[in-house]
Structures are given as structure tokens and as C-alpha cells.
Amino acid sequence: MIIKPEREKKMIFVTVGTHEQPFNRLVKAIDELKENGIVTEDVVIQTGFSTYEPRFCRWSKLFPYQEMAKNVEEARIVITHGGPSSFIMPLQIGKIPIVVPRQKQFNEHVNDHQVDFVKEVAQRLKNIIVVENIENIKETIENYEQITTSMCAGISSNNTLFNQRLEKLAENLIKKSS
């Protein structure tokens, strides 16, 4: 008798970081995709200071670092806010994250630096998927494999160059906003 190994269950991991303003727009959009059966796999969300509490996804305000790393490792798709610490983690293990930058117009941050920053990273490094309009998150999740096939996954083999480029990008953005 041949015993087939149990198929690995995949999930989507969402992190909004630790910034003190809520990111309800992203948390609610993902919860609604799960509620409506658009997303059928498990979803784990780190909600941070968001006030919306997911009803259809597993969630916690914050995760210890080791659990965060485990969630990123186990996820089929990682969705983050536009903070570099959040989207670098999946890149370091060869995953292309979907990045939804926080926006000032929704009171998610003090300005739109995340929007500017992630657009620059996406244009120059081509290793993140930027979703500025939350209405596009469904389509991006549904077409994730297609979108990522031609992208440069990860940064692990080129950390120094990536960090230098990232540092230069941040310096240029700071100069622009001064």
C-alpha cells in the first residue's frame, strides 16, 4: 500500500506592522475576501493598532518575532504594509510580498512616504507587488502566481547591494521631503 503524504496546507499571512495608527482598510478587505469565499485558505493577520477585529481570519494584535518569522515562512502569500522591516522579511527567504502602503488620506499614517517608498522599490528592484488601491487586492491575490513568475524573488543572494540601494533610496526620499 502506498501512503501519500498529506498535502501541505497553505495560508496567507498579513502584517500591518507596529505603527500606532490603525490600518483597518487592509485588515477589513482581507477579512471580507475570506468571508465571501474568495480566499479559501487559512488567513492569519497581525492587526497591530487596527480597531477592526477580523471575524473570519485568525488574528492577533502582535506576534512575537519567532512566530512572525514562522508565519512568513509557512505562508503561500505574505501581504504587508509599506514599512521596510515588514516586506524585507519575506524577501530574505525568497518570497515576493504584496505590499499595501499606508496612506494619509485614510489616516493610516502621517504622510504618504510609504506610497512613494514602495513605488520606488518596486520600480528599481522589481521584487515586491504594490497594491495602492485596496480594490485591487482581490485580483492580485487571485493572480499571484502569474504576477510573480517574471519577478525577481528575494534578496538573500544580494543583501549588500540591496541594502546599499535601499539606503540610497531612503536618503533620496528624505532629501525630496526636506
Side-chain angles (χ1 to χ4, degrees), residues 117 120-121 123-127 152 155 158-173:
F117 183 68
E120 283 289 322
V121 171
Q123 180 184 343
R124 292 179 188 216
L125 303 177
K126 298 178 181 19
N127 61 358
C152 174
I155 60 171
N158 208 3
N159 282 345
T160 303
L161 181 58
F162 177 83
N163 288 335
Q164 289 169 346
R165 288 180 177 172
L166 190 60
E167 189 175 281
K168 190 173 183 172
L169 241 160
E171 287 172 4
N172 288 339
L173 284 171

Side-chain angles (χ1 to χ4, degrees), residues 123-154:
Q123 180 184 343
R124 292 179 188 216
L125 303 177
K126 298 178 181 19
N127 61 358
I128 64 174
I129 303 164
V130 176
V131 175
E132 209 173 325
N133 181 343
I134 203 69
E135 298 298 317
N136 297 331
I137 194 76
K138 173 186 174 285
E139 182 181 332
T140 304
I141 292 169
E142 290 175 333
N143 297 306
Y144 180 80
E145 280 75 18
Q146 273 182 286
I147 295 167
T148 58
T149 55
S150 64
M151 294 181 74
C152 174

Side-chain angles (χ1 to χ4, degrees), residues 20 28 142 157 160 176:
E20 64 274 2
K28 185 177 182 197
E142 290 175 333
S157 65
T160 303
K176 283 182 183 178

Side-chain angles (χ1 to χ4, degrees), residues 5-13 34 39-44 56-58 70-77 95 145:
E6 194 173 308
R7 196 168 162 192
E8 189 177 328
K9 195 171 189 180
K10 296 290 185 175
M11 62 103 158
I12 293 175
F13 179 62
K34 182 68 177 165
V39 171
T40 57
E41 59 208 308
D42 290 341
V43 178
V44 177
F56 302 94
C57 303
R58 208 163 41 91
K70 182 178 183 256
N71 286 331
V72 169
E73 175 71 35
E74 292 177 358
R76 177 178 72 89
I77 297 175
K95 293 188 178 186
E145 280 75 18

Side-chain angles (χ1 to χ4, degrees), residues 66-129:
Q66 298 296 2
E67 193 173 346
M68 190 82 156
K70 182 178 183 256
N71 286 331
V72 169
E73 175 71 35
E74 292 177 358
R76 177 178 72 89
I77 297 175
V78 178
I79 302 172
T80 77
H81 70 121
S85 294
S86 293
F87 68 76
I88 285 175
M89 185 183 273
L91 287 171
Q92 288 176 325
I93 61 170
K95 293 188 178 186
I96 297 171
I98 297 172
V99 181
V100 182
R102 292 171 173 267
Q103 294 180 38
K104 182 180 182 192
Q105 68 176 321
F106 301 111
N107 296 315
E108 298 161 347
H109 221 304
V110 296
N111 59 30
D112 284 331
H113 73 277
Q114 283 195 0
V115 176
D116 297 335
F117 183 68
V118 300
K119 283 180 177 180
E120 283 289 322
V121 171
Q123 180 184 343
R124 292 179 188 216
L125 303 177
K126 298 178 181 19
N127 61 358
I128 64 174
I129 303 164

